[in-house]
DNA sequence: CTAAAGCCTATAGAATTAGTAGATTAATAA
DNA sequence: TTATTAATCTACTAATTCTATAGGCTTTAG
């Protein structure tokens, strides 16, 4: 299941990507437009800023803005920051690899084999999709 | 994330699929071979039986066995029984559809667009993979 | 009859999710 | 300078899900 955190994060990012100029947008504005709890959104945007996707400006007229062009932001980055690993299981993860306790041989494991395929196909989609493409809805 | 329930379930199913004949295999045997907690596995096999994938025999010499040939068991069925929806979000689910509260228009939603692609690719993999193929590891 | 094995219900600890609350800091405008 | 706006940060909590565990019941083979 996709967490609400990721869902809201993607919505907020596309909202920012749809802005003509790079002037900051306040959390409250995004929260109202996208029907997201203000305080929850606050923490989501903070993680996106700490991970280098967003910039922020405090005080009056402040808010959040994209640090890169929307066509330069791959969904792999967004997903890894908000949702964590792309893989459904750590033993096939490229960035978050972990061995399974119960599994004596990964190469002989049915789950490993299946989930590696799923990871590959998901990865391809997230890599080939940028924020810009998701805005043209 | 893939639940341990699903992981163990797939392992148990492939174990059964690797049997030469259709004589029942006890939970204890599978539990020991695959390093799965006996009682947890018990509940998993029970759900698989209740959902028509496994048959069982009680009493001495009893156990579980596949009801169909392993090449006739698609991973879509296994995943839906053990893990639930293939989709990462209910608004793109074919079998478990649900509207999002916050979303005024699905067709204009970035999350919907992205997750529909992921669902399609995962679905294709699960549909084109049978238990039989996962045994040849 | 007895041992083996599945069936069924209930429970419980841990982890994760989805928020809330409230105080603090920084920037801007009057 | 002061008031206002808006992000920052820490801490907490309620609900849900996950990963089991416990224990009694029922069925079957020998």
């Amino acid at each position: 299941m996709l967490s609400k955190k990721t869902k809201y994060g993607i919505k907020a990012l596309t909202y920012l990507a749809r802005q003509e100029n790079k002037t900051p947008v306040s959390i409250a504005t995004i929260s109202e437009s996208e029907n997201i709890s203000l305080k929850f959104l606050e923490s989501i945007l903070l993680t996106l800023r700490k991970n280098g996707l967003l910039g922020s400006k405090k005080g009056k007229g402040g808010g959040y803005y994209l640090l890169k062009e929307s066509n330069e932001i791959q969904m792999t980055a967004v997903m890894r920051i908000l949702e964590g690993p792309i893989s459904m299981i750590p033993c096939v993860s490229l960035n978050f690899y972990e061995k399974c306790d119960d599994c004596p041989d990964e190469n002989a494991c049915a789950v490993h084999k299946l989930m590696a395929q799923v990871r590959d196909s998901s990865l391809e989609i997230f890599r080939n999709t940028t924020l810009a493409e998701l805005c043209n809805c």
Side-chain angles (χ1 to χ4, degrees), chain A:
Chain A
M1 269 294 167
L2 194 78
S3 65
K4 302 225 167 179
K5 182 180 166 190
T6 304
K7 180 184 168 186
Y8 295 158
I10 294 174
K11 285 194 164 199
L13 284 169
T14 54
Y15 186 93
L16 291 174
R18 276 195 296 268
Q19 301 302 304
E20 294 292 314
N21 40 39
K22 286 271 171 66
T23 43
V25 182
S26 76
I27 305 176
T29 304
I30 304 175
S31 155
E32 281 159 34
S33 307
E34 301 290 335
N35 304 305
I36 305 169
S37 142
L38 189 126
K39 292 297 267 181
F40 193 21
L41 181 58
E42 185 186 305
S43 72
I44 296 168
L45 296 179
L46 204 54
T47 25
L48 288 171
R49 198 216 55 174
K50 286 182 175 167
N51 284 278
L53 285 192
L54 295 181
S56 67
K57 196 176 169 236
K58 282 185 168 185
K60 200 166 190 175
Y64 285 94
Y65 52 90
L66 292 182
L67 281 178
K68 286 190 279 187
E69 291 304 316
S70 62
N71 60 14
E72 288 170 335
I73 301 178
Q74 287 184 338
M75 293 313 291
T76 37
V78 177
M79 289 299 291
R80 288 205 174 104
I81 293 168
L82 294 172
E83 192 73 7
I86 307 286
S87 310
M88 292 185 78
I89 194 165
C91 74
V92 298
S93 177
L94 303 174
N95 291 257
F96 302 81
Y97 176 83
E98 242 175 275
K99 196 184 175 308
C100 293
D101 293 337
D102 56 303
C103 208
D105 178 14
E106 266 174 21
N107 300 317
C109 176
V111 180
H112 184 87
K113 191 180 183 181
L114 182 64
M115 291 305 146
Q117 291 180 58
V118 174
R119 177 209 57 200
D120 285 342
S121 75
S122 299
L123 211 46
E124 207 192 319
I125 292 169
F126 292 136
R127 258 208 274 265
N128 294 328
T129 307
T130 66
L131 255 196
E133 289 160 77
L134 292 181
C135 292
N136 319 329
C137 284

